[in-house]
Amino acid sequence: MLEDKNQKRTSLSDLGEFGLIEHLTKHFAVNQSSTLKSIGDDAAVLDFGNKKAVVSTDLLIEGVHFDLSYMPLKHLGYKAVVANVSDICAMNATPTQITVSIAVSNRFPLEALEELFEGITLASKLYNVDVIGGDTTSSQKGLIISITAIGEANLEDITYRNGANANDLLVVTGDVGAAYMGLQVLEREKQVFQVNPNNQPDLENYTYLIERQLKPEARKDIKELLEKLEVKPTSMIDISDGLSSEILHLCKQSGVGCNLYEEKIPVDPQLIDVCEEFNIDITTIALSGGEDYELLFTIKMEDFDKIKANPNLTVIGHMTEEKEGMHLITRATTKIPLKARGWNALQNEA
Amino acid sequence: MLEDKNQKRTSLSDLGEFGLIEHLTKHFAVNQSSTLKSIGDDAAVLDFGNKKAVVSTDLLIEGVHFDLSYMPLKHLGYKAVVANVSDICAMNATPTQITVSIAVSNRFPLEALEELFEGITLASKLYNVDVIGGDTTSSQKGLIISITAIGEANLEDITYRNGANANDLLVVTGDVGAAYMGLQVLEREKQVFQVNPNNQPDLENYTYLIERQLKPEARKDIKELLEKLEVKPTSMIDISDGLSSEILHLCKQSGVGCNLYEEKIPVDPQLIDVCEEFNIDITTIALSGGEDYELLFTIKMEDFDKIKANPNLTVIGHMTEEKEGMHLITRATTKIPLKARGWNALQNEA
């Protein structure tokens, strides 16, 4: 007997909109004390008491922001939450709630949406954010995800992009560039698969890069770490478009220049190997590859001693007077202008 | 010389994402004292002090929720804001901020997005909500709009769907059904236009219906009105899907039944005329036509005297014990079960 591969496909139209919402959202628990009312009314109700609320939103479109041929739906759901949680972390705030709206064409069976929501649920548990609302509707083409994240913070802790001063140190968490190269590996495998669908990919040498692309993490830990180190960042942003692009945002909004040192940029050893294999310049990837969801921030120079021993934090440069401009100091100590090239721009060149 | 019809088309790719966001959002002013930080950072920052925050979100897809062949972009932007503001009003809260995310395919020139944002700006000024964030990206097909609205209220004023009790009176604001018939008129004109593009439509007899469809208003006035009348609603919802569907939501979530009186349902005289012209039963339209954005709520019976003289409010029935079920009492005093048929269901039947 032939295997019925479609045995677990439930049509969305069988459920109806309200049935679908109930089915998908019934596992969302309320854990935040600030969530007074969650899903099920015209709006959710939040109580921030003396804290301030922080709000961020993102719209993700199939074929533009993700490719389902190598991005499993569960990972996509997880990553969509992470990207928004990361924006709240980049305010030096604590993420507390999210809303999730989904539009799908009728080619998606219920089981596909369940997988997506499994990833959303997993991330919301790990980051301790309540899913408090959303909207589920049909699209004419593909999958569309819109997430709004809400967080809380004391006013004095909230860190903007515009607070950097000349002589502040520029600090990055973790390492950069890996998520972009993970995407390159996956795209190469997709092309190999299209030529020979029986080919089994061997991805053992690329596990870190692929994980950074498919299952990135937001640096919710950094706010706590900086508090423990007694360091107050002066400006902060997360790395979604690429390191150089984010540095330029901080510089422009703060009215300062900067010197970034090529040799200081933290990269994973696996990234070095794979850049060699692909014959790509590693600094280009580190500067322009996006989706790392690391945090980039500035601190006062006198705080250097407090952070220098921490393996999570790397000083990669310092801010200067605005008139000095924004520069990359290469390994050969040449000073070249720093250009804003996000990973989208990079893709257009490829 | 031939007229150059394309002289004002600016390609979105000329601007780039950041340029586009800056261009479209530069006119958004901050008017709410609770808006501490608006567009321009990773997230907006809000201060609700002793008030509670209320959050709602909506995702609108071209071809599913709107048809650009008869919905001018400016009206679409206006209506998208209204639909979300209405959800906040339905919590008996005051809308204060919105985020607006847009995805467009490259067939849209800059001028089209400007029109859309003109409508968004107009509505945000009229309803006094600050546009505090959003996302602008490309889509593979059509226009996608995602809006999240935030409001504030004292905890004791917030009204849920689940607070109705047996014997409470069921009250609706304004009149219902007109927005749906406006859509029918516009769809008929579209078909006429497709047959004969030179035909000039005469829409004089349909102005109210078309305005209800293209430029609906949210009932932000009702919270204030009820306060002035010293009436505290026990449950509340807005009419986006259709009167019968919304009544059933209140009943189910409150654990009550209801009797709705056909003769009491408020309809505009123009709706009566046009239903006759289209040979459609007016009660079907009043019950199932959506997008009116009126408010539906329940009050204690003893509050009847306080509201009975108000032209904005109509008592259309009363709640009963749950076991009595949900019924429509017809003009011929027949009692028939009330069915949930939103306007989408209606369209599928047509």
Side-chain angles (χ1 to χ4, degrees):
Chain A
M1 227 173 85
L2 284 171
E3 187 192 0
D4 179 4
K5 289 203 173 171
N6 289 324
Q7 62 186 340
K8 273 197 63 187
R9 291 174 68 92
T10 309
S11 158
L12 293 184
S13 52
D14 292 350
L15 278 166
E17 187 193 340
F18 299 123
L20 178 62
I21 292 173
E22 203 180 312
H23 180 85
L24 293 173
T25 61
K26 64 187 172 200
H27 298 302
F28 291 135
V30 169
N31 295 310
Q32 291 287 343
S33 61
S34 58
T35 306
L36 299 182
K37 174 86 181 184
S38 184
I39 293 165
D41 218 294
D42 296 287
V45 181
L46 310 180
D47 179 5
F48 292 104
N50 292 321
K51 299 234 174 184
K52 306 307 166 205
V54 176
V55 180
S56 175
T57 195
D58 254 335
L59 186 58
L60 303 172
I61 314 284
E62 184 181 349
V64 177
H65 300 96
F66 55 88
D67 182 337
L68 290 178
S69 64
Y70 46 71
M71 176 59 106
L73 280 160
K74 187 175 166 183
H75 285 87
L76 177 62
Y78 190 92
K79 186 170 173 174
V81 173
V82 164
N84 276 274
V85 161
S86 178
D87 278 328
I88 301 296
C89 295
M91 302 297 288
N92 202 27
T94 304
T96 46
Q97 287 93 3
I98 56 170
T99 67
V100 181
S101 296
I102 306 283
V104 279
S105 68
N106 54 15
R107 80 177 154 95
F108 287 82
L110 175 62
E111 287 71 19
L113 282 191
E114 283 175 341
E115 252 189 78
L116 183 74
F117 273 75
E118 221 180 288
I120 290 168
T121 306
L122 192 65
S124 66
K125 277 185 187 156
L126 185 72
Y127 290 100
N128 195 24
V129 291
D130 291 346
V131 183
I132 55 159
D135 198 6
T136 308
T137 181
S138 57
S139 78
Q140 289 202 305
K141 189 179 177 191
L143 174 62
I144 298 153
I145 306 172
S146 174
I147 295 190
T148 296
I150 297 162
E152 60 175 34
N154 296 316
L155 187 58
E156 61 273 21
D157 290 333
I158 295 175
T159 308
Y160 297 108
R161 294 179 181 176
N162 65 7
N165 295 301
N167 299 320
D168 279 359
L169 298 176
L170 184 63
V171 184
V172 70
T173 64
D175 59 76
V176 294
Y180 178 79
M181 274 316 286
L183 183 65
Q184 300 312 303
V185 170
L186 289 167
E187 285 192 339
R188 184 178 66 178
E189 290 310 319
K190 181 184 173 184
Q191 276 158 24
V192 169
F193 178 83
Q194 281 167 345
V195 174
N196 180 4
N198 293 318
N199 186 61
Q200 284 295 311
D202 178 8
L203 298 173
E204 207 178 312
N205 294 329
Y206 311 103
T207 46
Y208 178 71
L209 304 187
I210 291 171
E211 183 160 346
R212 292 284 282 177
Q213 170 60 221
L214 294 185
K215 194 167 173 291
E217 302 294 352
R219 300 306 303 253
K220 197 185 167 185
D221 56 322
I222 297 300
K223 179 176 165 42
E224 208 178 310
L225 174 65
L226 290 177
E227 272 163 21
K228 209 156 60 186
L229 297 173
E230 294 177 355
V231 172
K232 195 175 148 31
T234 54
S235 70
M236 192 181 264
I237 193 169
D238 73 325
I239 301 179
S240 52
D241 283 335
L243 181 61
S244 63
S245 169
E246 314 301 358
I247 292 175
L248 295 185
H249 279 305
L250 291 187
C251 287
K252 279 184 187 162
Q253 295 200 26
S254 298
V256 295
C258 81
N259 286 328
L260 167 69
Y261 294 86
E262 183 181 17
E263 61 178 356
K264 301 288 188 190
I265 301 171
V267 291
D268 189 83
Q270 196 172 82
L271 180 66
I272 300 172
D273 291 348
V274 177
C275 278
E276 213 161 278
E277 183 192 333
F278 276 68
N279 197 21
I280 302 183
D281 176 47
I282 191 164
T283 301
T284 304
I285 299 304
L287 286 176
S288 306
E291 302 195 291
D292 290 313
Y293 301 112
E294 295 293 343
L295 293 177
L296 177 75
F297 57 93
T298 52
I299 61 169
K300 286 183 186 143
M301 203 187 268
E302 58 258 39
D303 285 334
F304 175 66
D305 282 344
K306 297 180 189 166
I307 69 146
K308 69 179 178 190
N310 196 289
N312 287 289
L313 308 176
T314 309
V315 177
I316 54 173
H318 61 86
M319 308 322 249
T320 62
E321 297 295 333
E322 188 170 23
K323 64 178 186 292
E324 293 180 43
M326 298 165 280
H327 292 95
L328 173 72
I329 316 295
T330 67
R331 280 193 187 82
T333 69
T334 319
K335 197 169 176 177
I336 59 171
L338 191 62
K339 289 213 183 101
R341 299 201 310 183
W343 65 285
N344 280 318
L346 201 71
Q347 281 194 314
N348 292 342
E349 281 176 5
Chain B
M1 225 172 88
L2 285 170
E3 187 191 2
D4 179 4
K5 289 203 174 172
N6 290 324
Q7 60 186 343
K8 273 196 63 187
R9 291 174 70 90
T10 310
S11 159
L12 294 183
S13 53
D14 292 350
L15 278 165
E17 186 193 340
F18 300 122
L20 178 61
I21 292 172
E22 202 181 311
H23 180 84
L24 293 173
T25 61
K26 65 187 170 200
H27 298 302
F28 292 136
V30 169
N31 295 310
Q32 291 286 343
S33 61
S34 57
T35 307
L36 298 183
K37 174 85 180 185
S38 184
I39 293 164
D41 219 295
D42 296 286
V45 182
L46 311 179
D47 179 4
F48 293 104
N50 292 321
K51 301 233 171 182
K52 306 307 168 205
V54 175
V55 180
S56 175
T57 195
D58 254 335
L59 186 57
L60 303 171
I61 314 283
E62 183 182 349
V64 178
H65 300 97
F66 56 88
D67 181 338
L68 290 179
S69 64
Y70 47 70
M71 176 60 105
L73 280 160
K74 188 176 167 182
H75 286 87
L76 177 62
Y78 190 91
K79 187 171 173 173
V81 174
V82 164
N84 277 274
V85 161
S86 179
D87 278 327
I88 301 297
C89 296
M91 302 298 287
N92 202 28
T94 303
T96 46
Q97 286 94 2
I98 55 171
T99 67
V100 181
S101 295
I102 306 283
V104 279
S105 68
N106 55 16
R107 79 176 155 96
F108 287 83
L110 175 62
E111 288 70 21
L113 283 190
E114 283 175 340
E115 253 190 78
L116 183 74
F117 272 76
E118 220 179 292
I120 291 167
T121 306
L122 192 65
S124 65
K125 277 185 188 158
L126 185 72
Y127 290 100
N128 194 24
V129 292
D130 292 344
V131 184
I132 55 159
D135 199 5
T136 307
T137 181
S138 57
S139 78
Q140 288 202 305
K141 190 179 177 190
L143 174 62
I144 297 152
I145 306 172
S146 175
I147 294 189
T148 296
I150 298 161
E152 60 174 35
N154 296 316
L155 187 57
E156 62 273 22
D157 290 332
I158 295 175
T159 308
Y160 297 109
R161 294 179 181 177
N162 65 7
N165 295 302
N167 300 321
D168 280 358
L169 298 176
L170 185 63
V171 185
V172 69
T173 63
D175 58 78
V176 295
Y180 178 78
M181 276 314 287
L183 183 65
Q184 300 312 304
V185 170
L186 289 168
E187 285 193 339
R188 184 177 67 176
E189 290 309 317
K190 181 184 173 182
Q191 276 159 24
V192 170
F193 178 83
Q194 280 167 344
V195 174
N196 180 3
N198 293 319
N199 186 59
Q200 283 296 312
D202 179 8
L203 298 173
E204 207 178 312
N205 294 330
Y206 312 103
T207 46
Y208 179 70
L209 305 187
I210 291 171
E211 184 160 346
R212 292 286 282 179
Q213 170 60 223
L214 293 185
K215 195 169 173 289
E217 302 295 351
R219 299 306 304 251
K220 197 186 166 184
D221 56 322
I222 298 299
K223 179 176 165 40
E224 207 178 311
L225 174 66
L226 291 176
E227 272 164 22
K228 210 157 59 185
L229 297 174
E230 293 177 357
V231 172
K232 196 176 147 31
T234 54
S235 70
M236 192 180 266
I237 194 169
D238 73 324
I239 302 178
S240 51
D241 283 337
L243 182 61
S244 62
S245 169
E246 313 302 357
I247 291 175
L248 296 185
H249 278 306
L250 290 188
C251 287
K252 279 184 187 162
Q253 296 200 25
S254 298
V256 296
C258 80
N259 286 327
L260 168 69
Y261 294 87
E262 183 181 15
E263 62 178 354
K264 302 288 188 190
I265 300 171
V267 291
D268 188 81
Q270 196 172 83
L271 181 66
I272 300 173
D273 291 347
V274 176
C275 277
E276 213 160 278
E277 183 192 332
F278 276 68
N279 197 21
I280 302 182
D281 175 48
I282 191 163
T283 300
T284 304
I285 299 304
L287 286 177
S288 306
E291 300 196 293
D292 290 315
Y293 302 112
E294 295 292 343
L295 293 177
L296 176 76
F297 57 93
T298 52
I299 62 169
K300 289 185 183 141
M301 203 186 269
E302 58 259 39
D303 285 334
F304 176 65
D305 282 344
K306 297 181 190 166
I307 69 146
K308 69 179 177 190
N310 195 291
N312 286 290
L313 307 176
T314 309
V315 177
I316 55 174
H318 61 87
M319 307 323 249
T320 62
E321 296 296 333
E322 189 170 21
K323 62 177 188 293
E324 294 180 41
M326 298 164 280
H327 291 95
L328 174 72
I329 316 295
T330 68
R331 281 195 187 81
T333 67
T334 319
K335 198 169 175 176
I336 59 171
L338 191 62
K339 291 211 183 101
R341 299 200 309 181
W343 65 285
N344 280 319
L346 200 72
Q347 281 193 314
N348 292 341
E349 282 176 5

